[in-house]
Amino acid sequence: MLSLANYIMQNRRNAILLALLFAIIPLMGWVADIIMVLVTLRKGAKEGGVVLIWIMLPSLLLALKGYPQFLLYNALAGSVLTYCFALLLRQTTAWPVVLQAAAVIGVIEIVAIHLVVPGLGMGWSNDLMGYFETLRHQVLEQTANNSEMQFWAGLLSKVIIGFQITFLFVYNLIIVLLARFVQAKLYHPAGLRPELYNIRVGIVAILLFFLVVVACLAGNDIAMDCLLMTIMPLIVAGISLVHYLAAAANLSIVWFIGFYGLLILFFPYCAVVLSALALADSWFNFRQRFKLKNQ
């Protein structure tokens, strides 16, 4: 991996050729995005922008052939957004700033979608009801009644757009993280861990979260759709704090396997705990109370 990264960073031509190659290969576009972000983080906006233009070409050609969804999801909501996050990280070198920007942009996108397409939630509810009907006949053997299916279809339709946008943003942030990892391995092997250990939730993310929660309690459906996006920075900050405390306590790798196993199996409950932990850390700053022996 490091040999490939060294080859990419030698000159612009190498970066463009490999990024374009991975952009063309199905299901490998994420590697092209990592190359673009790596170039952006190391060499700046101009060099990264050149690579970005080239990896957008396959999506543009597919859009001209009648498949505009490739340009929308792969290029604009994927590569371009990831490029913006990379620029922000290069300028600020602060993950909390990037997370807060992602939360704000994500909420704006969700609200804009609901305003542009007002009946989208109802459409999702009808589609989910059709899916549940098929599932009931094929799998559940008529055990689920219509009222239960209508309840779950209505509930999911209120959060499904926010879930998709949040998933897309998390994917983009993971791409930036992987590129930052490669950059650290190449030029500063010990540089990434302190960054990830010291992610604390910022005031913008906190205010946005409480604003959305208040709107949810007031019965606003759009706010409910935005809730997961506003929780995302809190969850990341909570995971960062858990890693810091585990390192301070010198816990073994087995503990981390158990932690992420619980996070995957019981995500809703763990998300609440991690969010509460991140909010408490923003006030008490637990890292000042538990110093790492080896910084």
Side-chain angles (χ1 to χ4, degrees):
M1 180 184 66
L2 294 182
S3 299
L4 181 62
N6 272 316
Y7 176 77
I8 292 169
M9 300 306 294
Q10 285 178 4
N11 54 62
R12 179 188 292 180
R13 184 194 62 183
N14 293 352
I16 290 174
L17 288 177
L18 279 178
L20 184 59
L21 175 63
F22 283 111
I24 295 172
I25 300 175
L27 302 179
M28 295 300 290
W30 58 276
V31 182
D33 287 338
I34 291 176
I35 295 172
M36 179 267 297
V37 174
L38 177 61
V39 173
T40 303
L41 291 175
R42 184 63 183 176
K43 297 185 177 181
K46 180 180 178 181
E47 292 296 319
V50 172
V51 179
L52 173 65
I53 292 172
W54 281 94
I55 65 177
M56 288 177 61
L57 285 180
S59 297
L60 180 60
L61 292 176
L62 288 172
L64 294 176
K65 290 291 185 179
Y67 301 97
Q69 62 271 21
F70 285 95
L71 183 63
L72 176 62
Y73 290 103
N74 291 6
L76 299 180
S79 301
V80 173
L81 192 58
T82 307
Y83 173 73
C84 294
F85 290 154
L87 284 179
L88 189 58
L89 182 62
R90 174 181 168 83
Q91 294 296 323
T92 63
T93 65
W95 285 97
V97 176
V98 177
L99 292 171
Q100 290 182 123
V104 172
I105 296 172
V107 168
I108 292 174
E109 284 193 11
I110 295 169
V111 173
I113 290 172
H114 280 282
L115 294 178
V116 173
V117 191
L120 193 57
M122 183 61 68
W124 275 110
S125 180
N126 295 333
D127 291 342
L128 289 170
M129 276 299 296
Y131 172 76
F132 288 157
E133 283 286 351
T134 304
L135 187 66
R136 182 174 68 168
H137 290 299
Q138 295 181 356
V139 180
L140 300 180
E141 299 179 354
Q142 309 292 333
T143 57
N145 57 49
N146 285 330
S147 61
E148 291 177 341
M149 291 192 301
Q150 288 175 354
F151 169 78
W152 285 108
L155 180 63
L156 291 175
S157 66
K158 293 179 180 179
V159 299
I160 194 166
I161 298 173
F163 175 82
Q164 293 179 77
I165 298 296
T166 304
F167 179 83
L168 179 63
F169 275 57
V170 169
Y171 163 80
N172 293 334
L173 292 171
I174 290 175
I175 293 296
V176 177
L177 175 61
L178 292 174
R180 179 70 186 89
F181 171 77
V182 175
Q183 182 194 22
K185 283 292 184 181
L186 283 175
Y187 305 107
H188 191 193
L192 183 60
R193 183 171 294 182
E195 291 182 19
L196 301 182
Y197 276 178
N198 291 282
I199 298 176
R200 298 182 66 206
V201 64
I203 186 63
V204 174
I206 295 174
L207 292 176
L208 184 64
F209 169 72
F210 281 111
L211 180 64
V212 170
V213 168
V214 170
C216 288
L217 295 176
N220 189 288
D221 290 340
I222 298 179
M224 183 176 293
D225 209 9
C226 297
L227 187 59
L228 183 59
M229 176 60 72
T230 62
I231 292 176
M232 181 266 296
L234 305 181
I235 295 175
V236 175
I239 293 174
S240 172
L241 178 60
V242 168
H243 274 264
Y244 181 93
L245 296 177
N250 198 24
L251 298 179
S252 66
I253 189 65
V254 177
W255 189 92
F256 287 102
I257 295 174
F259 167 72
Y260 280 102
L262 290 174
L263 182 61
I264 294 171
L265 294 175
F266 305 102
F267 177 77
Y269 307 102
C270 293
V272 173
V273 174
L274 290 171
S275 299
L277 190 62
L279 290 173
D281 178 59
S282 68
W283 181 265
F284 295 105
N285 196 355
F286 296 121
R287 292 174 180 84
Q288 292 295 327
R289 301 168 185 268
F290 302 94
K291 292 288 187 179
L292 283 176
K293 293 181 180 180
N294 184 5
Q295 291 292 338

